Amino acid sequence: MDLSRRKNVYYFVSFVIVLVLTGRMVQLQLINPEQFDKESEKNSVKTIITTPARGLIFDRNYKLMVDNKPSYSVTITKKEFDTTNIPVLSEVFGITPEEFREFLKEIEGTNRFIPTRIVRDVEFKVISYIEENREKLKGVDYKTEPIRFYPNKFRASHLLGYTKEISKNQLKDQQSDYYKQGDMKGTTGLESSYEEQIRGEKGYEFILQDSKGREVGKLNEGKNDIKAESGYDLILSVDADLQQFAEELIGNRKGGIVAIDPNNGEILTLVSKPDFDLNYFSGKLSPEIWTKLNTDPDKPLFNRATLTKYPPGSTYKMVSALASMQEGIMKTNSTIPCEGSFTFGNRTFKDHGAYGSIGFSKSIEVSSNVFYYKLVLKIGLENWTKYGLEFGFGQKTGIDIPEETKGNLPSVEYFNKNFPGWTQGWIVSLGIGQGQLGVSPLQMAGYCMTLANSGTYNQPHLVKFLKNPSTGELIPVGYKKRELNIDKKYFDVVRYGMYNVVQGSGTGRGIKTSLVDIAGKTGTAQNTHGNDHSWFIAFAPYDNPRIAICVLVENAGFGAAVAAPICQRLILKYLFGSTDETEIIETEMELPD
Amino acid sequence: MATYKLFRRFNPVIFFSAFGLIFIGLLAIYSATYNNPDVSGNFTKQMVSAIVGLVLVLTITFLPTRYISISAYMLYGLNIMLLVAVLFIGKKISGQTSWFSIAGFGIQPSEFAKFTTVLALATFLNNKEKDTDITNLRDFSIAVFIGLLPVGLIMLQPDTGTSLVFLAMLLPILYWAGMPNHVLFFIVAPAITAISAFLGTYYFIGALLLVLIGLFFFKKNILISTLVLTATVLSGLSVNYVYNKLQPYQQKRIIAMFSPETDALGSGYNVIQSKIAIGSGGLWGKGFLQGTQTQLKYIPEQWTDFIFCMVGEEFGFLGSLIVVILFLTLIWQTIHIAYTCKNRFLSICSIGFSSIFLFHMVINLGMTMGIMPVIGIPLPFMSYGVSFLLANLCMLGVIMNAHRNRKDYT
């Protein structure tokens, strides 16, 4: 075979190919490399990440609650940055060079070629300095970023929540690689639970710059750029006016308020006091303020509306009443003799009065303790716990913010575990809502809603709709609803008791008004560390409830004194838009359906 | 003398050319993945693959040749089954189902298919009992079938670049096995004419003239000549017809293959950037880890198909020249071995492997320098890729085995 000739074909072909490739290399790298070098300089592309605007938050009437405003952040591209500029830059920032070096240390490990944010929310004079000295300050740049802005008088700090710079650990643990050093992330409240919907999508801009760092245009005329997309807006169930009014009413006291529309579980107001100004968190959070908020003995960051677990006191009596009737232990018209005190074993439990033989309705109206000491012993702990669970105690309500306590609903297992050798005497005080029982104002509001509805429990929630920012489409958020296993006729009995608490001669008669029938119940949480805490739950109108409220005021003593009037004012405000009784009557405002 | 004996059995030139390329490749991968935490493990993976590959090369080099030829069909069959299996249980990465994921490592059967297909072809063409004759139409068809079966399966993934490699190695193997000149001409003529027709009418007419001269030169009978000429003209004319029938996005991709500037957002963007990177390297290069273009990560995945940018920018013309010279040395040595080796099986294998190396090199380097269509195939021994590197080293092993046994006929 003519392999010796064919071999030469192979040699020849491969040689020609290598020759052509080498020729191309000569052309690219030797003949005019300056042109490419220049092009490469010109072509040095700066990738700028644009921060999307977080979704806005509106109240139920589309009143703006949380807004955004522009701010300036200073960035540094480490590859280009000249460290001899540190003294002059730190002077412009108003910090020491050491502090500036700390900033630089914090962005260690980030991409050296991409501008990385070192300080957010700087003053405009810093920006103009950078702009004027651009040639000298290579690698120093700024970008505008939207930050949170709270335009209203009310705070709603705990329900809205704040955003905070992502921590090193969160950065490491994140599932995707969305967050970069220095990014803001929803940390508490709605900002946290709806973070993924609200944060939007980052944008990317590719900017060409010359060797002096001057921008000479956009890569490919900006065709490669990706625009930042704003996040989804939230439309809340909260009534901003009612929220503001509630915050004013509770004033400087400590406590929590939750108001719910019983028809659907929409939270109208959620207040926790003391609170804090969310504007602290929108730009750069000063370490002094952060330390102050964290070390304040009144714990302003703590959400008292959803995280406290105090004994509910007498407000819990309706649970025992309903349990005894549903379990067939008592009839609707059964009575219990109520002397001034009750002795069980060697312990005597006191009451604030002797009422003789009274039925359920009266027992609620006057808030007899002896009635419920005796009743809870008839019911037994197991049944008592069962009905607490029915009303959502001892478990999370599933409200759409992350901060929430399960509270504490004692059970047989709980006592066996924590108090081995416990006796029936232990459960006597549970009958009047004291002892180991712990509930949050949110759980209490849910409970009050269920009483108002005669047994329908709607999951309490803050967000009604997500709004797509580009299409304007409203996406409803779904919530659960359940019916309690308690007969409606038993609810009638306790509801009538609650009616008489206010409308009759009960413990809440002080807030009686001719404008609307309010049903409520007072409660006092025994506090071994100071004055008792004051509870009041109420719903109105009695026949067709449109609002259910729980008010907790810490260290305010008896429930009727402080908590009940707050409740009444909120009910009037919500139902009539005003709290001035004469004004309401004069304008003959009809009670809307 | 011991050294003399070693040189006789072990070919250091080819060995060190290949490992020189691997070494430069490792430097480039290190630089390309430096500052990119997502792929920082690639350098180590490639390093481990190179060490495993070294053992593989030495093992194959000193294996008795008949072990290789006996297992050729079996390996080929196994590989075909893997190619079928990958379509069903493979992992989909950027639109292609070509990977198995085994213990965190991606295995790409199509890379090994290049190796096993050459082995199978060489075994078939070297069948002494049946006296395979390439000029016989039946044997010719079987050989083409062996070569094209994997192409069909790989097209389903779909991976056009790798499929083209099989076509590119098939012709040189058949030619080396004795395919007559005019048959080669008859196959190549319509293909070249079709490409010319796509580039423009004048190219088409020029190509047709060349084909006419060729036909005259071979002086085959008038029937065959007419047939070839008709096929050539039809292939040229049908190009535009087929092109017009394609979807607009398919048309766009074809145009971008030939003129990257038209698709500056997609594949063209890479080519423009890669040209700038290589060009800005100049004579000496910018130095290791100093390439502004490549370090800026303009070019996605520059540790695979665009690895040559790193060399061009950071090591300049001299570095690039060394790469090209190492490739030429490797390829010429392999052709030399194919020629001197008495064992026909090993000879055909060697010519097949040298064709694969050559095709990969010309397409890859040509693409990064903007003179070849954008077909995504990697650079042998240098691009990152465990399967690819191991497959290349298997080929190197067989070539060195051929050198060791070049005096034996069996």
Side-chain angles (χ1 to χ4, degrees):
Chain A
M1 210 190 297
D2 54 346
L3 270 191
S4 67
R5 267 175 60 197
R6 294 206 165 179
K7 163 200 76 176
N8 289 333
V9 174
Y10 290 87
Y11 277 135
F12 179 72
V13 170
S14 45
F15 182 70
V16 168
I17 284 174
V18 165
L19 208 62
V20 170
L21 291 173
T22 311
R24 180 63 171 170
M25 274 156 39
V26 169
Q27 189 193 3
L28 286 179
Q29 298 181 303
L30 298 184
I31 295 179
N32 45 12
E34 295 84 15
Q35 177 212 323
F36 285 108
D37 207 28
K38 237 161 88 201
E39 201 163 341
S40 96
E41 283 277 350
K42 184 182 88 196
N43 238 349
S44 93
V45 174
K46 193 165 67 167
T47 307
I48 293 182
I49 299 174
T50 46
T51 312
R54 289 179 78 82
L56 305 177
I57 303 181
F58 298 90
D59 90 332
R60 65 189 292 117
N61 302 313
Y62 293 89
K63 180 173 174 169
L64 187 59
M65 293 178 80
V66 181
D67 197 359
N68 293 317
K69 69 173 183 188
S71 77
Y72 297 103
S73 297
V74 175
T75 62
I76 283 201
T77 309
K78 282 188 283 177
K79 167 90 176 160
E80 295 165 13
F81 183 62
D82 180 357
T83 46
T84 57
N85 284 326
I86 288 179
V88 56
L89 272 175
S90 38
E91 204 182 307
V92 177
F93 284 127
I95 55 175
T96 65
E98 285 68 43
E99 285 174 304
F100 196 91
R101 287 203 176 82
E102 280 298 309
F103 286 146
L104 285 178
K105 230 183 200 157
E106 275 185 22
I107 60 170
E108 260 172 25
T110 57
N111 193 319
R112 292 161 59 233
F113 298 93
I114 290 180
T116 310
R117 184 196 304 105
I118 58 159
V119 195
R120 63 168 71 249
D121 197 22
V122 296
E123 289 169 51
F124 186 72
K125 63 164 203 213
V126 177
I127 300 310
S128 45
Y129 182 83
I130 292 173
E131 198 59 73
E132 283 158 21
N133 299 281
R134 205 167 258 290
E135 289 214 7
K136 206 173 75 191
L137 300 174
K138 261 189 91 170
V140 181
D141 209 337
Y142 65 89
K143 60 176 177 179
T144 53
E145 289 183 300
I147 56 170
R148 278 308 198 201
F149 175 60
Y150 304 88
N152 297 300
K153 254 180 33 196
F154 61 83
R155 287 183 157 169
S157 340
H158 300 92
L159 80 91
L160 297 173
Y162 56 81
T163 57
K164 216 164 166 280
E165 238 180 69
I166 191 161
S167 71
K168 287 235 161 70
N169 283 336
Q170 284 175 317
L171 262 182
K172 247 190 358 218
D173 295 345
Q174 66 175 320
Q175 304 281 323
S176 64
D177 61 349
Y178 180 85
Y179 296 102
K180 300 275 181 269
Q181 176 119 27
D183 280 353
M184 300 296 266
K185 185 173 190 277
T187 308
T188 63
L190 293 171
E191 296 271 19
S192 166
S193 48
Y194 288 92
E195 166 69 11
E196 277 188 25
Q197 290 83 2
I198 214 173
R199 73 181 181 199
E201 287 301 325
K202 288 180 184 170
Y204 298 87
E205 261 183 75
F206 305 100
I207 288 174
L208 295 174
Q209 53 181 11
D210 64 12
S211 52
K212 292 204 169 84
R214 286 179 302 230
E215 292 177 8
V216 291
K218 302 198 97 183
L219 174 70
N220 205 4
E221 282 138 31
K223 280 186 214 145
N224 293 39
D225 292 0
I226 299 163
K227 274 193 99 171
E229 278 177 47
S230 304
Y232 280 70
D233 295 339
L234 301 183
I235 315 296
L236 305 190
S237 60
V238 172
D239 183 320
D241 293 339
L242 197 67
Q243 177 77 22
Q244 177 165 340
F245 188 54
E247 288 181 13
E248 283 165 10
L249 285 174
I250 196 163
N252 292 326
R253 300 182 189 91
K254 288 180 280 180
I257 300 175
V258 180
I260 300 185
D261 182 342
N263 298 302
N264 45 30
E266 290 177 1
I267 293 176
L268 303 167
T269 289
L270 190 145
V271 177
S272 171
K273 281 275 184 178
D275 52 11
F276 54 95
D277 189 346
L278 283 170
N279 283 308
Y280 289 150
F281 289 86
S282 58
K284 51 169 188 274
L285 172 66
S286 95
E288 295 84 45
I289 289 178
W290 178 239
T291 315
K292 194 166 159 260
L293 287 173
N294 268 302
T295 53
D296 189 328
D298 286 341
K299 296 191 177 170
L301 294 175
F302 183 74
N303 189 341
R304 284 174 161 76
T306 56
L307 287 172
T308 48
K309 31 183 181 182
Y310 292 136
S314 303
T315 51
Y316 205 78
K317 284 174 179 166
M318 287 78 85
V319 176
S320 303
L322 288 166
S324 66
M325 288 186 275
Q326 180 68 28
E327 288 298 314
I329 297 160
M330 299 281 281
K331 292 201 171 64
T332 52
N333 56 359
S334 301
T335 58
I336 292 177
C338 295
E339 308 84 5
S341 67
F342 175 66
T343 305
F344 187 80
N346 53 6
R347 250 190 97 183
T348 297
F349 299 86
K350 283 186 186 149
D351 203 345
H352 29 258
Y355 308 104
S357 267
I358 55 172
F360 283 113
S361 180
K362 191 75 182 169
S363 75
I364 292 169
E365 184 185 337
V366 299
S367 200
S368 161
N369 284 348
V370 171
F371 189 95
Y372 288 93
Y373 293 142
K374 290 181 176 171
L375 189 65
V376 75
L377 289 171
K378 290 181 199 236
I379 298 167
L381 182 56
E382 222 160 295
N383 275 329
W384 181 85
T385 310
K386 186 172 122 191
Y387 285 89
L389 282 170
E390 280 279 316
F391 280 100
F393 294 108
Q395 59 207 294
K396 293 190 172 181
T397 64
I399 186 180
D400 39 0
I401 56 174
E403 300 82 18
E404 187 183 8
T405 178
K406 290 202 293 199
N408 187 31
L409 180 66
S411 60
V412 174
E413 296 79 52
Y414 170 82
F415 275 123
N416 288 342
K417 195 178 152 211
N418 294 289
F419 306 99
W422 61 283
T423 59
Q424 288 295 300
W426 286 74
I427 69 171
V428 172
S429 52
L430 292 178
I432 59 160
Q434 305 291 356
Q436 278 72 33
L437 183 59
V439 304
S440 71
L442 174 65
Q443 286 175 327
M444 288 301 277
Y447 164 59
C448 181
M449 161 177 68
T450 315
L451 293 169
N453 287 341
S454 300
T456 306
Y457 185 93
N458 292 302
Q459 185 183 0
H461 59 269
L462 290 160
V463 175
K464 284 170 79 171
F465 302 107
L466 295 172
K467 187 179 167 196
N468 184 327
S470 44
T471 63
E473 181 198 0
L474 290 180
I475 302 147
V477 184
Y479 299 98
K480 290 188 203 106
K481 177 179 185 166
R482 63 185 168 87
E483 293 295 329
L484 272 63
N485 295 313
I486 299 173
D487 206 304
K488 284 251 185 294
K489 65 181 179 212
Y490 303 135
F491 274 104
D492 292 345
V493 178
V494 298
R495 284 176 97 254
Y496 186 62
M498 289 176 76
Y499 174 82
N500 283 327
V501 167
V502 179
Q503 303 302 124
S505 53
T507 50
R509 62 185 178 277
I511 63 162
K512 182 173 170 179
T513 158
S514 58
L515 295 166
V516 59
D517 289 345
I518 298 174
K521 183 73 195 83
T522 51
T524 307
Q526 289 167 1
N527 177 14
T528 47
H529 309 291
N531 286 338
D532 288 348
H533 306 311
S534 164
W535 287 104
F536 195 76
I537 58 171
F539 61 85
Y542 175 67
D543 294 322
N544 176 28
R546 292 176 50 219
I547 181 167
I549 306 187
C550 166
V551 175
L552 165 75
V553 184
E554 290 184 8
N555 315 114
F558 180 49
V562 179
I566 294 177
C567 245
Q568 185 228 36
R569 306 315 272 176
L570 286 173
I571 287 169
L572 295 181
K573 172 83 177 170
Y574 182 66
L575 295 180
F576 304 103
S578 170
T579 56
D580 188 332
E581 286 189 36
T582 49
E583 188 190 320
I584 296 167
I585 293 161
E586 272 170 17
T587 52
E588 288 179 63
M589 278 184 73
E590 278 296 308
L591 186 56
D593 293 327
Chain B
M1 248 164 75
T3 45
Y4 174 67
K5 215 172 168 185
L6 179 75
F7 185 73
R8 245 179 28 191
R9 313 202 60 170
F10 182 89
N11 186 330
V13 177
I14 199 162
F15 179 82
F16 287 111
S17 313
F19 276 86
L21 289 170
I22 291 178
F23 175 74
I24 299 173
L26 280 169
L27 287 182
I29 291 167
Y30 181 83
S31 181
T33 55
Y34 177 75
N35 243 320
N36 192 341
D38 300 340
V39 287
S40 52
N42 286 5
F43 173 75
T44 320
K45 278 194 198 166
Q46 185 83 347
M47 184 93 127
V48 171
S49 311
I51 292 166
V52 171
L54 176 64
V55 177
L56 205 60
V57 169
L58 295 178
T59 312
I60 298 176
T61 306
F62 293 101
L63 216 58
T65 306
R66 62 193 155 81
Y67 285 18
I68 305 173
S69 47
I70 285 169
S71 53
Y73 280 146
M74 198 191 69
L75 289 172
Y76 177 74
L78 193 72
N79 212 152
I80 293 290
M81 288 196 296
L82 285 176
L83 283 174
V84 173
V86 81
L87 293 172
F88 295 101
I89 55 170
K91 220 164 101 182
K92 198 163 185 163
I93 296 175
S94 51
Q96 292 182 356
T97 319
S98 51
W99 297 80
F100 284 116
S101 185
I102 297 167
F105 279 93
I107 306 283
Q108 227 180 334
S110 56
E111 291 301 348
F112 292 103
K114 296 169 193 167
F115 174 64
T116 55
T117 307
V118 169
L119 291 186
L121 269 171
T123 310
F124 174 74
L125 294 170
N126 183 37
N127 193 325
K128 289 192 184 63
E129 289 104 64
K130 289 185 184 164
D131 199 14
T132 316
D133 181 8
I134 191 76
T135 53
N136 170 325
L137 184 63
R138 185 176 151 274
D139 286 352
F140 178 80
S141 310
I142 293 175
V144 169
F145 176 78
I146 294 173
L148 293 190
L149 180 59
V151 175
L153 293 168
I154 292 168
M155 285 298 273
L156 290 175
Q157 295 182 352
D159 184 349
T160 322
T162 307
S163 306
L164 285 175
V165 177
F166 286 83
L167 298 178
M169 89 196 177
L170 187 58
L171 276 184
I173 287 178
L174 294 176
Y175 188 61
W176 191 251
M179 183 171 71
N181 284 329
H182 64 271
V183 178
L184 178 70
F185 175 76
F186 293 162
I187 295 171
V188 173
I192 298 222
T193 316
I195 295 172
S196 310
F198 185 76
L199 294 174
T201 316
Y202 291 115
Y203 290 94
F204 176 49
I205 293 168
L208 274 184
L209 283 176
L210 283 177
V211 171
L212 280 173
I213 294 168
L215 288 173
F216 180 73
F217 173 78
F218 286 115
K219 292 194 187 78
K220 289 288 152 188
N221 71 48
I222 191 78
L223 183 70
I224 293 178
S225 295
T226 319
L227 213 65
V228 172
L229 189 62
T230 317
T232 308
V233 173
L234 277 180
S235 74
L237 292 177
S238 62
V239 162
N240 277 315
Y241 177 77
V242 171
Y243 176 78
N244 288 329
K245 283 273 167 195
L246 291 175
Q247 298 290 329
Y249 77 91
Q250 289 169 320
Q251 295 179 348
K252 213 175 128 190
R253 273 173 64 172
I254 290 172
I255 291 178
M257 252 169 60
F258 289 96
S259 48
E261 288 76 14
T262 57
D263 186 23
L265 283 178
S267 53
Y269 175 76
N270 298 346
V271 173
I272 295 164
Q273 293 300 334
S274 123
K275 259 160 63 182
I276 294 172
I278 294 170
S280 69
L283 176 62
W284 298 102
K286 295 177 183 168
F288 186 49
L289 302 180
Q290 299 303 314
T292 52
Q293 297 298 291
T294 37
Q295 291 292 338
L296 270 171
K297 305 178 182 50
Y298 287 149
I299 303 156
E301 308 262 312
Q302 45 189 295
W303 47 92
T304 57
D305 292 357
F306 283 88
I307 191 79
F308 189 65
C309 296
M310 303 297 306
V311 179
E313 187 180 20
E314 299 196 343
F315 303 126
F317 176 73
L318 291 178
S320 315
L321 195 63
I322 289 173
V323 167
V324 172
I325 289 174
L326 286 176
F327 267 115
L328 188 63
T329 311
L330 182 70
I331 290 163
W332 273 15
Q333 273 291 314
T334 311
I335 296 169
H336 179 70
I337 289 167
Y339 177 60
T340 51
C341 180
K342 305 276 191 295
N343 181 322
R344 191 167 141 87
F345 166 75
L346 288 173
S347 170
I348 294 173
C349 281
S350 299
I351 217 70
F353 298 146
S354 70
S355 311
I356 291 174
F357 295 155
L358 182 67
F359 183 73
H360 270 275
M361 181 190 72
V362 64
I363 294 293
N364 183 283
L365 296 192
M367 169 181 76
T368 50
M369 292 193 288
I371 50 169
M372 277 283 166
V374 182
I375 299 166
I377 59 174
L379 191 56
F381 301 106
M382 291 183 62
S383 285
Y384 168 74
V386 174
S387 303
F388 183 59
L389 182 58
L390 290 181
N392 285 330
L393 287 173
C394 287
M395 297 178 199
L396 182 71
V398 174
I399 294 168
M400 290 184 57
N401 187 293
H403 174 82
R404 190 174 71 90
N405 299 307
R406 64 196 182 280
K407 300 262 160 64
D408 304 333
Y409 278 92
T410 46

mmCIF file of all heavy atoms in Angstrom, chain A residues 306-309 395-397 403-408 439-440 443:
data_model
loop_
_atom_site.group_PDB
_atom_site.id
_atom_site.type_symbol
_atom_site.label_atom_id
_atom_site.label_comp_id
_atom_site.label_asym_id
_atom_site.label_seq_id
_atom_site.Cartn_x
_atom_site.Cartn_y
_atom_site.Cartn_z
ATOM 1 N N THR A 306 -47.333 39.000 70.731
ATOM 2 C CA THR A 306 -47.319 37.615 70.247
ATOM 3 C C THR A 306 -46.369 36.722 71.033
ATOM 4 O O THR A 306 -46.415 35.508 70.894
ATOM 5 C CB THR A 306 -46.881 37.563 68.774
ATOM 6 O OG1 THR A 306 -45.603 38.207 68.666
ATOM 7 C CG2 THR A 306 -47.869 38.251 67.869
ATOM 8 N N LEU A 307 -45.491 37.307 71.845
ATOM 9 C CA LEU A 307 -44.468 36.498 72.499
ATOM 10 C C LEU A 307 -44.632 36.359 74.015
ATOM 11 O O LEU A 307 -44.052 35.451 74.603
ATOM 12 C CB LEU A 307 -43.071 37.069 72.206
ATOM 13 C CG LEU A 307 -42.556 36.837 70.791
ATOM 14 C CD1 LEU A 307 -41.262 37.598 70.557
ATOM 15 C CD2 LEU A 307 -42.339 35.348 70.526
ATOM 16 N N THR A 308 -45.412 37.261 74.643
ATOM 17 C CA THR A 308 -45.551 37.116 76.099
ATOM 18 C C THR A 308 -46.433 35.929 76.410
ATOM 19 O O THR A 308 -47.346 35.596 75.647
ATOM 20 C CB THR A 308 -46.239 38.343 76.722
ATOM 21 O OG1 THR A 308 -47.389 38.652 75.958
ATOM 22 C CG2 THR A 308 -45.323 39.528 76.780
ATOM 23 N N LYS A 309 -46.171 35.281 77.520
ATOM 24 C CA LYS A 309 -47.098 34.247 77.994
ATOM 25 C C LYS A 309 -47.395 34.475 79.464
ATOM 26 O O LYS A 309 -46.672 34.016 80.334
ATOM 27 C CB LYS A 309 -46.575 32.838 77.722
ATOM 28 C CG LYS A 309 -45.075 32.665 77.724
ATOM 29 C CD LYS A 309 -44.718 31.234 77.377
ATOM 30 C CE LYS A 309 -43.215 31.022 77.393
ATOM 31 N NZ LYS A 309 -42.821 29.692 77.015
ATOM 32 N N GLN A 395 -50.536 26.336 71.426
ATOM 33 C CA GLN A 395 -50.023 26.093 70.074
ATOM 34 C C GLN A 395 -49.945 27.430 69.336
ATOM 35 O O GLN A 395 -50.572 28.400 69.751
ATOM 36 C CB GLN A 395 -50.937 25.134 69.315
ATOM 37 C CG GLN A 395 -52.370 25.665 69.200
ATOM 38 C CD GLN A 395 -53.395 24.559 69.066
ATOM 39 O OE1 GLN A 395 -53.400 23.870 68.081
ATOM 40 N NE2 GLN A 395 -54.247 24.411 70.068
ATOM 41 N N LYS A 396 -49.188 27.448 68.261
ATOM 42 C CA LYS A 396 -49.053 28.693 67.513
ATOM 43 C C LYS A 396 -50.302 28.938 66.682
ATOM 44 O O LYS A 396 -50.921 27.997 66.194
ATOM 45 C CB LYS A 396 -47.819 28.624 66.604
ATOM 46 C CG LYS A 396 -46.539 28.592 67.421
ATOM 47 C CD LYS A 396 -45.314 28.766 66.571
ATOM 48 C CE LYS A 396 -44.098 28.924 67.460
ATOM 49 N NZ LYS A 396 -42.861 29.111 66.717
ATOM 50 N N THR A 397 -50.649 30.196 66.507
ATOM 51 C CA THR A 397 -51.831 30.508 65.720
ATOM 52 C C THR A 397 -51.531 30.429 64.235
ATOM 53 O O THR A 397 -52.431 30.300 63.422
ATOM 54 C CB THR A 397 -52.318 31.946 66.000
ATOM 55 O OG1 THR A 397 -51.290 32.843 65.573
ATOM 56 C CG2 THR A 397 -52.588 32.161 67.468
ATOM 57 N N GLU A 403 -42.362 35.805 64.796
ATOM 58 C CA GLU A 403 -42.273 35.874 66.248
ATOM 59 C C GLU A 403 -43.607 35.456 66.841
ATOM 60 O O GLU A 403 -44.598 36.175 66.718
ATOM 61 C CB GLU A 403 -41.929 37.294 66.715
ATOM 62 C CG GLU A 403 -40.610 37.840 66.192
ATOM 63 C CD GLU A 403 -40.718 38.419 64.791
ATOM 64 O OE1 GLU A 403 -41.840 38.711 64.345
ATOM 65 O OE2 GLU A 403 -39.665 38.542 64.124
ATOM 66 N N GLU A 404 -43.646 34.315 67.470
ATOM 67 C CA GLU A 404 -44.879 33.864 68.081
ATOM 68 C C GLU A 404 -44.570 32.778 69.101
ATOM 69 O O GLU A 404 -43.722 31.911 68.870
ATOM 70 C CB GLU A 404 -45.831 33.302 67.009
ATOM 71 C CG GLU A 404 -47.172 32.985 67.588
ATOM 72 C CD GLU A 404 -48.143 32.354 66.597
ATOM 73 O OE1 GLU A 404 -47.734 32.022 65.473
ATOM 74 O OE2 GLU A 404 -49.298 32.185 66.980
ATOM 75 N N THR A 405 -45.258 32.826 70.221
ATOM 76 C CA THR A 405 -45.057 31.789 71.242
ATOM 77 C C THR A 405 -46.221 30.809 71.195
ATOM 78 O O THR A 405 -47.331 31.137 70.749
ATOM 79 C CB THR A 405 -44.978 32.408 72.651
ATOM 80 O OG1 THR A 405 -44.832 31.338 73.594
ATOM 81 C CG2 THR A 405 -46.224 33.195 72.991
ATOM 82 N N LYS A 406 -45.930 29.571 71.608
ATOM 83 C CA LYS A 406 -46.998 28.590 71.751
ATOM 84 C C LYS A 406 -47.749 28.818 73.050
ATOM 85 O O LYS A 406 -48.828 28.297 73.253
ATOM 86 C CB LYS A 406 -46.419 27.175 71.780
ATOM 87 C CG LYS A 406 -45.849 26.718 70.455
ATOM 88 C CD LYS A 406 -45.784 25.210 70.357
ATOM 89 C CE LYS A 406 -44.776 24.642 71.324
ATOM 90 N NZ LYS A 406 -44.375 23.272 70.954
ATOM 91 N N GLY A 407 -47.120 29.594 73.934
ATOM 92 C CA GLY A 407 -47.711 29.755 75.253
ATOM 93 C C GLY A 407 -47.501 28.481 76.053
ATOM 94 O O GLY A 407 -46.660 27.649 75.703
ATOM 95 N N ASN A 408 -48.266 28.321 77.095
ATOM 96 C CA ASN A 408 -48.149 27.091 77.864
ATOM 97 C C ASN A 408 -49.517 26.649 78.338
ATOM 98 O O ASN A 408 -50.190 27.348 79.085
ATOM 99 C CB ASN A 408 -47.207 27.304 79.058
ATOM 100 C CG ASN A 408 -46.934 26.001 79.762
ATOM 101 O OD1 ASN A 408 -46.926 24.958 79.119
ATOM 102 N ND2 ASN A 408 -46.759 26.046 81.074
ATOM 103 N N VAL A 439 -50.538 32.527 78.139
ATOM 104 C CA VAL A 439 -51.139 32.829 76.833
ATOM 105 C C VAL A 439 -50.633 34.183 76.340
ATOM 106 O O VAL A 439 -50.199 35.024 77.115
ATOM 107 C CB VAL A 439 -52.687 32.853 76.900
ATOM 108 C CG1 VAL A 439 -53.233 31.550 77.447
ATOM 109 C CG2 VAL A 439 -53.167 34.025 77.728
ATOM 110 N N SER A 440 -50.707 34.352 75.018
ATOM 111 C CA SER A 440 -50.283 35.629 74.434
ATOM 112 C C SER A 440 -51.521 36.449 74.083
ATOM 113 O O SER A 440 -52.602 35.878 73.871
ATOM 114 C CB SER A 440 -49.460 35.380 73.178
ATOM 115 O OG SER A 440 -50.295 34.913 72.150
ATOM 116 N N GLN A 443 -53.193 35.018 71.031
ATOM 117 C CA GLN A 443 -54.031 33.836 71.281
ATOM 118 C C GLN A 443 -55.359 34.254 71.911
ATOM 119 O O GLN A 443 -56.413 33.714 71.578
ATOM 120 C CB GLN A 443 -53.296 32.862 72.215
ATOM 121 C CG GLN A 443 -52.173 32.110 71.536
ATOM 122 C CD GLN A 443 -51.394 31.249 72.519
ATOM 123 O OE1 GLN A 443 -51.241 31.608 73.685
ATOM 124 N NE2 GLN A 443 -50.896 30.114 72.043
#
